[in-house]
Amino acid sequence: MPKDTLTVTDNRTGKTYELPIENGTIRGMDLRQIKVDDDDFGLMSYDPAFGNTASTKSNITFIDGEKGILRYRGYPIEQLAERSSFLETAYLIINGELPNRSQLEMFTHNITYHTMLHENVRKFHDRFRYDAHPMGILISTVAALSTFYPEAKNIFDKESRRTQMYRLIAKMPTIAAWCFRHRRGLPVVQPDNDLSYSGNFMSMLFRMAESRYTPNPTIERALDVLFILHADHEQNCSANAMRSVGSSQADPYSALAAAAAALYGPLHGGANESAIRMLNQIGHVKHVPDFVKSVKAGEGRLMGFGHRVYKNYDPRAKVIKKLAYEVFDVVGKNPLIDIALELERIALQDDYFIQRKLYPNVDFYSGIIYQAMGLPMDVFPVLFAIGRTAGWLAQWEEMLEDDEQRIARPRQVYLGADKRDYIAISDRS
Ligand code: ACO
């Protein structure tokens, strides 16, 4: 009868240890007993960038990177994108189950009720430079919200936690739209709570002199689907930031600002912006082969390609590609799609990309849709952050309720100077 254990022999001492295997993992702390002598600290694992380390058990999102599978709480992303709404998916991600009709109505009401921002937020938004990057504004605004809701520090009070979650999901589109309006020099538009979550967001982005904004239903649905596709992605860089900062028991606004900051980088949520910059730089389908050559020569990366976990197609990219054409039917085709398709075609038959299992990720096509909708590149990561807020909050709450979690504090392998005595500046060469 095979045992769920791992037997390791320490060749330094000849001692053998039997470590339990649970859920396909050994516990890092079980290595600590492996010592050369009593003074030894004990063995650690070295895993820069968490390449093979599970930092938590989770019930939220399942990814099988080899098979290209993504599920929220067990539900395939394709089904949610086809049949759910963003708020229903947000409820699912946070609560673990799909809501019944009255639960969804109540959740929608709670979110809708919190869409407005304090007038002082508008005032400090005014102080940002005219060309401030919307992600910079978003990150600082989310952090600033903790000063408006000091009770958010009661992170072990479930009811208070819920209120902050509603506020964050509700206010993210308002903040995002105000960032966009600031960049354009346009006055802010207050939320219209008679519209849907995505419809209201469009109103806050695009409403001009009309007394009421009527969103185009195809674009409204496309935005909602994009929010669903971005809603969670298990232990990615920003979720890890949310959990890590949250583990110090910081309030959710501060933790979420950190998560949004992690998302900002071009290797994470900033990749949709970088992908469009790259497509613009390529400029024409005929330049694609040369561009691919330059990537293979190490002169940059194919932005929107590759993923730490997906080694097959990113299932979100499939949904987005289809969505792009629905949006183009309304707003006209974004010519960058032709360059993107050619890039994908050439890359997917090239050994360099095949061997490294590099496929388009969610960011390869999302920017093309956003741009077709009339949104500037630097707003793209902000749109990502709106959807991901649901996931960040669910990850944060799961971390707080997990008895095994403590303040996140990795170890290091110190390779610096040994002890040495301070030398006065006059005596240094
Ligand atoms: N273009 C060209 N080569 C690439 C790319 C790319 N986009 N991504 C990885 N590679 C190559 C690397 O150069 C490396 O090659 P080597 O083995 O010859 O050195 C190999 O593939 C492995 O790359 P790593 O950087 O080790 O892969 P990692 O898992 O650390 O990185 C990441 C994943 C950051 C997503 C990477 O693929 C990348 O930079 N992609 C472009 C940015 C991007 O699209 N990010 C969005 C990710 S999805 C999201 O956050 C929503």
Side-chain angles (χ1 to χ4, degrees):
M1 175 78 172
K3 284 206 280 180
D4 278 338
T5 60
L6 175 74
T7 302
V8 282
T9 303
D10 185 348
N11 293 321
R12 299 170 302 176
T13 58
K15 280 194 197 159
T16 295
Y17 302 82
E18 191 172 345
L19 311 180
I21 296 177
E22 193 196 352
N23 302 311
T25 64
I26 56 161
R27 288 198 173 245
M29 282 306 280
D30 283 348
L31 298 175
R32 193 70 75 72
Q33 60 185 303
I34 304 177
K35 299 179 177 196
V36 281
D37 55 39
D38 285 348
D39 292 336
D40 188 0
F41 180 75
L43 202 65
M44 293 191 294
S45 66
Y46 174 60
D47 188 10
F50 305 115
N52 195 38
T53 294
S55 60
T56 187
K57 294 174 184 163
S58 181
N59 294 317
I60 303 171
T61 291
F62 172 78
I63 300 177
D64 183 329
E66 295 298 328
K67 297 197 181 117
I69 293 173
L70 169 60
R71 295 180 202 136
Y72 300 153
R73 302 283 188 183
Y75 294 97
I77 191 68
E78 296 81 0
Q79 290 184 25
L80 292 169
E82 180 77 29
R83 301 176 58 187
S84 184
S85 67
F86 172 65
L87 285 188
E88 185 183 63
T89 298
Y91 182 100
L92 168 71
I93 287 177
I94 289 170
N95 296 295
E97 297 297 334
L98 284 168
N100 62 29
R101 204 176 292 278
S102 70
Q103 286 168 327
L104 181 59
E105 273 168 17
M106 181 53 80
F107 186 71
T108 305
H109 167 82
N110 287 335
I111 301 291
T112 310
Y113 182 78
H114 285 293
T115 47
M116 288 188 77
L117 288 169
H118 195 285
E119 184 59 7
N120 285 1
V121 172
R122 194 190 56 71
K123 288 184 187 153
F124 74 70
H125 268 203
D126 280 348
R127 297 292 172 270
F128 281 97
R129 265 180 66 130
Y130 68 93
D131 60 352
H133 195 290
M135 262 322 254
I137 306 182
L138 178 105
I139 292 163
S140 27
T141 305
V142 172
L145 286 184
S146 74
T147 67
F148 291 84
Y149 307 111
E151 76 279 11
K153 285 188 174 65
N154 300 326
I155 55 166
F156 293 112
D157 173 345
K158 185 142 185 148
E159 208 173 310
S160 162
R161 233 165 37 213
R162 288 286 127 164
T163 306
Q164 314 318 323
M165 288 169 136
Y166 299 144
R167 282 183 175 139
L168 273 158
I169 295 172
K171 292 179 200 305
M172 284 297 270
T174 316
I175 301 170
W178 287 13
C179 295
F180 168 78
R181 306 280 295 194
H182 177 80
R183 194 87 155 82
R184 294 265 158 124
L186 292 167
V188 302
V189 174
Q190 292 296 342
D192 178 344
N193 288 345
D194 289 334
L195 294 173
S196 72
Y197 188 80
S198 299
N200 170 49
F201 180 49
M202 288 172 68
S203 165
M204 293 188 292
L205 286 171
F206 299 128
R207 198 174 119 200
M208 299 303 277
E210 64 270 42
S211 56
R212 223 36 225 292
Y213 180 85
T214 311
N216 175 290
T218 306
I219 307 291
E220 185 181 1
R221 175 67 192 155
L223 263 180
D224 219 53
V225 173
L226 285 159
F227 292 151
I228 292 172
L229 296 178
H230 286 96
D232 193 50
H233 213 230
E234 52 119 307
Q235 307 312 311
N236 55 84
C237 179
S238 55
N240 184 57
M242 182 87 199
R243 281 175 173 264
S244 186
V245 175
S247 77
S248 76
Q249 303 186 355
D251 68 83
Y253 300 97
S254 304
L256 202 129
L263 187 76
Y264 190 4
L267 297 190
H268 191 10
N272 49 19
E273 183 181 344
S274 310
I276 293 292
R277 289 190 198 284
M278 175 191 72
L279 295 173
N280 277 334
Q281 184 202 332
I282 296 170
H284 194 280
V285 172
K286 68 180 181 207
H287 299 142
V288 168
D290 282 346
F291 182 77
V292 171
K293 228 184 261 170
S294 71
V295 169
K296 285 162 61 182
E299 293 165 21
R301 288 199 163 192
L302 198 47
M303 300 312 286
F305 252 69
H307 201 275
R308 173 61 61 79
V309 178
Y310 292 119
K311 300 301 169 195
N312 191 317
Y313 216 90
D314 179 340
R316 301 167 299 174
K318 259 188 209 158
V319 178
I320 289 194
K321 207 166 152 186
K322 182 164 159 276
L323 201 62
Y325 287 97
E326 290 168 21
V327 170
F328 295 163
D329 281 345
V330 177
V331 296
K333 187 170 132 182
N334 183 342
L336 293 182
I337 188 82
D338 292 331
I339 303 178
L341 288 170
E342 181 65 357
L343 201 51
E344 180 183 339
R345 189 186 70 77
I346 293 191
L348 293 190
Q349 60 190 29
D350 190 299
D351 270 356
Y352 176 97
F353 297 92
I354 295 169
Q355 275 166 16
R356 290 169 179 77
K357 299 187 175 178
L358 301 170
Y359 293 86
N361 60 49
V362 67
D363 287 326
F364 193 63
Y365 289 106
S366 63
I368 295 176
I369 305 188
Y370 295 144
Q371 197 178 45
M373 288 175 179
L375 294 162
M377 280 181 276
D378 51 14
V379 170
F380 300 171
V382 165
L383 300 171
F384 192 151
I386 294 176
R388 186 53 60 85
T389 295
W392 287 331
L393 292 170
Q395 298 283 347
W396 169 70
E397 187 163 65
E398 190 178 65
M399 182 272 304
L400 289 176
E401 289 180 341
D402 182 347
D403 290 342
E404 286 194 307
Q405 294 294 337
R406 293 183 292 157
I407 186 165
R409 199 337 185 155
R411 294 279 175 177
Q412 66 166 7
V413 178
Y414 178 72
L415 298 176
D418 209 349
K419 179 183 177 274
R420 45 188 174 166
D421 290 325
Y422 182 84
I423 302 167
I425 196 162
S426 54
D427 298 335
R428 287 177 223 159
S429 55

